[in-house]
Amino acid sequence: MMKLKHIISARQLDKKTLQKIFSVTDKIKSQKFNKNALSGKIMATLFYQPSTRTRLSFESAMLRLGGSVITTEDAAEFSSAIKGETLTDTIRVVNFYSDVIVIRHPESGIADLATKYSNIPIINAGDGVGEHPTQGILDLYTIFSKFHSPDFTVAICGDHANYRPHHSLSYLLSLYPKIKIIYVSPKLLSMPRELKQHLINKKIKFSETEDFQSAVARADVVYQGRIPKEYLGKDYKKYLDRYVLDKKVLKNIKKNAIIMHPLPRLNEIAPEVDSDPRAIYFEQAQNGLFIRMSLLLLLLGP
Ligand code: CP
């Protein structure tokens, strides 16, 4: 297993490291962990973009492990960024006050930049249209909790150009050569070329289509993503109702498939789908807590 210092990109992870993260997560899930493991440690959460799940699950994770949290829930507005302080100065200073920094920022690459100015671990909680690695890890954990052999088809639907969870999940899936990926999106919102080249280099079988119905009918994992208003501007309305998973679509999805979404959702999954046993997006969000506890333990634990 590789030594984890920072968590910036799903690309930095290998299978052995993921297995270790998942085995610690399994123990946490079954309540086999030291509730004071991180006593005396402080986590700083710097969120320059809104969040419910990522920030609160990281904070809950730290508190459940006996650590403490300092936070700026709207760092763009309520930190000294508003006075013009650079992010790199902020990182240098917050290093004195905490043992780990979790950062979400609208600019792609900023978490990586932060590592150059930090002696303590930096965790990327989403950087612009780049990546959201801890989301990818919890997504993969959720998939493997349902499919034990990595030999299945995943349909990833939505905006692949701008939606970072799709990028991190794709990098992680690329570690498993038998997995097949169907990318469903309007042509203008297709996967970045660099990511497709990565899949080609890794010999991963993937296809691209605009045909939502046919793709979800063939998939074992239906992964719906949000249409990100914050990056598409008023264009987002054009795409909002393009791929809606409702009861009608549900009829064509495999009996043993799973339906996932990183949440928050807009119109991508109708609430009428929530009671279907294949819909596991709330379980997925809960796994976010366990995965983030595992990551904090691996980064800061004894
Ligand atoms: N999935 C996710 O990142 O959700 P939040 O934006 O609420 O953190």
Side-chain angles (χ1 to χ4, degrees):
M1 180 195 143
M2 61 177 55
K3 177 101 186 80
L4 278 181
K5 166 91 203 267
H6 307 285
I7 301 173
I8 302 304
S9 163
R11 291 181 87 159
Q12 75 187 83
L13 298 164
D14 60 19
K15 276 200 232 178
K16 271 204 170 139
T17 308
L18 286 166
Q19 273 159 14
K20 177 72 186 165
I21 295 168
F22 294 166
S23 80
V24 174
T25 305
D26 286 339
K27 285 193 188 128
I28 289 167
K29 227 175 154 172
S30 52
Q31 296 297 315
K32 289 188 199 125
F33 66 96
N34 175 359
K35 292 187 172 53
N36 292 309
L38 297 188
S39 169
K41 301 282 186 193
I42 297 174
M43 177 179 75
T45 48
L46 296 178
F47 276 62
Y48 295 83
Q49 281 183 313
S51 166
T52 299
R53 275 144 293 273
T54 312
R55 187 172 67 84
L56 294 181
S57 65
F58 260 118
E59 294 183 1
S60 176
M62 192 61 174
L63 296 171
R64 283 169 194 269
L65 290 165
S68 309
V69 175
I70 53 176
T71 185
T72 59
E73 73 170 296
D74 181 355
E77 192 73 20
F78 295 118
S79 77
S80 286
I82 197 89
K83 298 178 221 155
E85 183 171 56
T86 61
L87 191 275
T88 51
D89 279 1
T90 303
I91 294 295
R92 280 175 166 156
V93 171
V94 177
N95 258 249
F96 300 131
Y97 309 150
S98 61
D99 301 290
V100 57
I101 297 174
V102 181
I103 181 166
R104 171 172 285 189
H105 199 280
E107 216 175 301
S108 173
I110 214 82
D112 187 39
L113 176 69
T115 65
K116 315 277 187 293
Y117 296 84
S118 183
N119 296 314
I120 60 173
I122 299 287
I123 302 178
N124 180 4
D127 62 331
V129 297
E131 278 210 53
H132 191 351
T134 66
Q135 180 70 48
I137 298 168
L138 77 90
D139 291 341
L140 193 68
Y141 177 79
T142 306
I143 294 171
F144 283 163
S145 67
K146 306 293 174 188
F147 295 101
H148 300 297
S149 158
D151 182 3
F152 44 78
T153 299
V154 188
I156 305 181
C157 319
D159 174 359
H160 309 314
N162 302 298
Y163 194 56
R164 57 199 176 204
H166 292 183
H167 304 162
S168 294
L169 179 60
S170 298
Y171 283 126
L172 294 179
L173 292 174
S174 77
L175 293 170
Y176 304 89
K178 286 188 179 165
I179 291 177
K180 294 176 264 318
I181 310 176
I182 309 170
Y183 290 111
V184 184
S185 76
K187 279 210 172 68
L188 275 176
L189 304 180
S190 65
M191 264 291 160
R193 194 183 311 182
E194 184 200 359
L195 209 150
K196 285 195 272 191
Q197 191 54 53
H198 172 85
L199 297 175
I200 292 165
N201 296 345
K202 292 277 196 172
K203 301 191 172 30
I204 297 297
K205 288 202 181 88
F206 72 93
S207 56
E208 295 175 284
T209 179
E210 294 190 82
D211 185 348
F212 178 62
Q213 299 274 357
S214 143
V216 298
R218 284 182 284 142
D220 303 294
V221 179
V222 177
Y223 190 99
Q224 286 281 75
R226 181 170 61 87
I227 298 299
K229 186 156 64 167
E230 64 274 33
Y231 297 112
L232 290 168
K234 56 182 182 327
D235 269 358
Y236 99 101
K237 283 203 174 133
K238 238 175 21 198
Y239 301 116
L240 196 56
D241 296 321
R242 185 76 68 98
Y243 305 128
V244 178
L245 205 168
D246 56 14
K247 271 208 163 143
K248 225 167 96 197
V249 176
L250 201 55
K251 284 195 188 119
N252 299 322
I253 291 179
K254 289 184 186 177
K255 291 260 176 305
N256 62 346
I258 54 174
I259 300 165
M260 299 176 65
H261 193 305
L263 303 178
R265 63 177 149 175
L266 300 174
N267 285 0
E268 303 89 22
I269 302 181
E272 65 199 21
V273 174
D274 295 357
S275 56
D276 189 281
R278 290 167 289 184
I280 59 163
Y281 26 91
F282 291 109
E283 180 182 335
Q284 182 185 352
Q286 187 188 26
N287 284 339
L289 169 68
F290 304 130
I291 282 289
R292 287 170 178 131
M293 287 174 77
S294 171
L295 293 173
L296 290 173
L297 270 180
L298 290 168
L299 289 173
L300 301 175

